[in-house]
Amino acid sequence: TQLLEQSPQFLSIQEGENLTVYCNSSSVFSSLQWYRQEPGEGPVLLVTVVTGGEVKKLKRLTFQFGDARKDSSLHITAAQTGDTGLYLCAGANTGTASKLTFGTGTRLQVTL
Amino acid sequence: DAGVTQSPTHLIKTRGQQVTLRCSPKSGHDTVSWYQQALGQGPQFIFQYYEEEERQRGNFPDRFSGHQFPNYSSELNVNALLLGDSALYLCASSLRAGVNQPQHFGDGTRLSIL
């Protein structure tokens, strides 16, 4: 069974601070996706990383896929209150179907 | 362009009952996946439907079953409900059952078992 562990589980910071969320597994994934989920809504895809060592930037968010494709990180620069939410990483593998294995989630609270 | 729509949004059932949840995929998508998200946890994969067949299944008992219709919409059925089935049930759609295809999620059905 493939598992994805995220750390930290909870993070409460003030606006303007930087933060990093980690997503780790003992298994190799073909790709890894990051989602943000707000209360009462479904997860919204932020990015997909495919190549080991790949770095993708989305405005103030930087995503990295580990060289061995077992881990990933999400770094947010100068956090804003609008970044508040549940951040989820999800791994996928090749095959006939794209089943996502989700991480345990990191709940981020950004306050003024 | 309508995204993934799920119905109902909330549902309350009692132990032993059965329930049917519905999902309409995003326009142009042909693959539907179902996930269960318990409170405070990440979603867990239940199963995926493509071309009206179950293509892959997660670690869920046979009480969980599904169906996909010719118009690509899908249903999730749960029989003999248990208290532990209380969760947010999410439907995700994508184009073709292939890896790296972005999945679009609906806002889910909140199922509460009394």
Side-chain angles (χ1 to χ4, degrees):
Chain A
T1 302
Q2 293 181 310
L3 295 173
L4 279 168
E5 295 287 339
Q6 286 184 237
S7 61
Q9 278 187 292
F10 301 98
L11 195 53
S12 182
I13 61 172
Q14 290 188 317
E15 201 172 52
E17 292 184 33
N18 301 332
L19 67 117
T20 302
V21 176
Y22 299 94
C23 174
N24 296 298
S25 174
S26 58
S27 304
V28 175
F29 289 98
S30 299
S31 68
L32 202 133
Q33 302 174 12
W34 284 92
Y35 292 82
R36 185 172 77 199
Q37 185 178 23
E38 300 192 32
E41 299 181 8
V44 175
L45 179 66
L46 297 174
V47 78
T48 301
V49 285
V50 178
T51 306
E54 182 177 3
V55 177
K56 279 192 174 179
K57 292 192 174 183
L58 185 67
K59 296 183 181 178
R60 295 176 293 100
L61 278 59
T62 302
F63 304 86
Q64 185 163 9
F65 201 12
D67 291 340
R69 291 186 288 134
K70 292 182 179 181
D71 53 84
S72 181
S73 64
L74 157 61
H75 182 79
I76 300 179
T77 303
Q80 299 177 356
T81 55
D83 296 327
T84 294
L86 177 67
Y87 287 81
L88 295 159
C89 63
N93 285 303
T94 55
T96 58
S98 55
K99 162 190 169 184
L100 290 179
T101 299
F102 276 88
T104 48
T106 294
R107 188 162 298 281
L108 172 64
Q109 176 76 44
V110 183
T111 56
L112 291 172
Chain B
D1 181 20
V4 179
T5 57
Q6 294 186 242
S7 63
T9 54
H10 295 85
L11 202 51
I12 299 175
K13 291 284 187 178
T14 57
R15 282 179 298 175
Q17 287 188 309
Q18 69 92 26
V19 67
T20 298
L21 310 182
R22 295 176 176 81
C23 171
S24 291
K26 179 180 169 65
S27 178
H29 285 182
D30 56 8
T31 301
V32 172
S33 301
W34 286 92
Y35 292 82
Q36 180 195 67
Q37 186 175 23
L39 199 61
Q41 298 181 20
Q44 289 194 40
F45 177 81
I46 302 175
F47 43 53
Q48 183 179 79
Y49 278 84
Y50 173 62
E51 292 185 337
E52 303 179 47
E53 289 189 16
E54 184 182 294
R55 297 292 174 170
Q56 197 161 356
R57 189 180 182 91
N59 295 324
F60 280 81
D62 292 344
R63 298 187 297 110
F64 289 77
S65 63
H67 189 77
Q68 185 179 36
F69 300 93
N71 67 353
Y72 308 120
S73 67
S74 177
E75 289 182 348
L76 164 64
N77 302 292
V78 188
N79 295 323
L81 287 166
L82 303 174
L83 292 177
D85 295 331
S86 294
L88 179 68
Y89 288 84
L90 294 163
C91 170
S93 74
S94 59
L95 180 61
R96 299 196 191 90
V99 71
N100 299 338
Q101 292 295 325
Q103 297 198 28
H104 295 251
F105 283 82
D107 289 338
T109 294
R110 173 72 61 188
L111 176 63
S112 298
I113 311 300
L114 303 179

